[in-house]
Amino acid sequence: MAAQLVRLIRLMPRPTDPSDHDLMSRCRQGDAVAFEEIVRRWEQPLGRMVGHLAGPGADVDDLCQEVFVRILRARERYRPSHAFSTWVYRIALNVARDNRRREVRRIQQPLDAHDQPSIAPSPADEIEMLETSQIVDAAVRALPDELREVLVLKHFGKLSFAEVAETTGMPLGTIKSRMGVALRELRLELSRRGVTGES
């Protein structure tokens, strides 16, 4: 009897997690638990995105907090007819842009001084991939803002070209063109930093 009951339970449909659209709908009605779930789902993807977009020295945790504050404030303007990811990435992009503008006003220093990879001397058994990823990260941050934004949204945000265009408000052709330039510049930057295709 118990075995049959277990089999029956396994066959029962499991409740599915609410979609981002459902959570935002509940959030608009003042449901704090729904907003907590949005934060839980999106804090890591947005953290990675903001980290790449904001530039060197940025406090990623503070900027992510600002993204979620803006999401909460803008909840009434959210429209489920658009992809939720596009909407939150646009907010993250604006937060990162605002942060870069503040930094430019705060200190006027050449980018090269900030964008050198900070790789501390490592023990002999340090994994080479970690070292390479730090160099790649620094190379991405060395790209001009307009190229870095497209590259990060497409690669790290995993958005389609159309979604990147919608997020940035730029024409699709411009996005594709900038992506091509960004990849060429990234290859050159990596080459300058000693990372080749074989690496």
Side-chain angles (χ1 to χ4, degrees):
M1 178 71 173
Q4 287 178 332
L5 186 58
V6 168
R7 277 197 299 273
L8 184 61
I9 290 171
R10 284 183 180 154
L11 291 173
M12 290 175 64
R14 296 183 181 185
T16 57
D17 289 333
S19 69
D20 294 323
H21 295 309
D22 293 337
L23 290 172
M24 278 305 294
S25 176
R26 286 165 45 192
C27 190
R28 289 170 71 172
Q29 295 166 13
D31 186 338
V33 174
F35 184 69
E36 286 171 13
E37 176 62 16
I38 288 172
V39 172
R40 188 191 66 75
R41 283 184 190 181
W42 286 91
E43 61 185 342
Q44 288 187 359
L46 286 172
R48 286 192 297 272
M49 170 86 51
V50 169
H52 287 291
L53 287 173
D59 187 328
V60 175
D61 289 340
D62 279 358
L63 293 177
C64 274
Q65 211 167 27
E66 187 177 339
V67 171
F68 286 115
V69 167
R70 290 193 192 186
I71 288 171
L72 192 58
R73 287 179 181 160
R75 64 188 181 276
E76 294 300 327
R77 296 195 300 275
Y78 172 69
R79 295 291 172 265
S81 54
H82 293 82
F84 183 78
S85 58
T86 304
W87 187 69
V88 295
Y89 284 145
R90 183 182 302 126
I91 292 172
L93 179 61
N94 288 334
V95 167
R97 285 174 173 171
D98 291 347
N99 180 71
R100 288 199 307 260
R101 281 192 286 268
R102 285 193 299 267
E103 284 302 303
V104 166
R105 284 194 299 268
R106 194 173 67 82
I107 38 174
Q108 294 289 332
Q109 289 182 346
L111 280 175
D112 290 345
H114 294 287
D115 286 336
Q116 298 304 318
S118 55
I119 303 169
S122 56
D125 61 347
E126 181 179 356
I127 300 171
E128 189 177 332
M129 277 301 292
L130 174 62
E131 205 170 79
T132 303
S133 71
Q134 290 172 331
I135 295 171
V136 170
D137 184 56
V140 169
R141 286 187 278 114
L143 292 174
D145 293 343
E146 65 274 9
L147 299 181
R148 186 171 71 237
E149 288 176 357
V150 171
L151 180 70
V152 169
L153 288 168
K154 182 78 176 77
H155 179 70
F156 296 100
K158 302 191 187 319
L159 299 182
S160 67
F161 281 115
E163 288 170 330
V164 175
E166 185 179 345
T167 301
T168 58
M170 289 189 291
L172 183 59
T174 302
I175 294 300
K176 290 182 176 179
S177 172
R178 286 190 180 180
M179 186 65 177
V181 175
L183 291 172
R184 282 197 302 273
E185 289 297 314
L186 184 60
R187 280 191 211 100
L188 288 171
E189 187 63 34
L190 288 171
S191 177
R192 283 193 286 269
R193 294 168 186 265
V195 177
T196 63
E198 291 74 27
S199 305

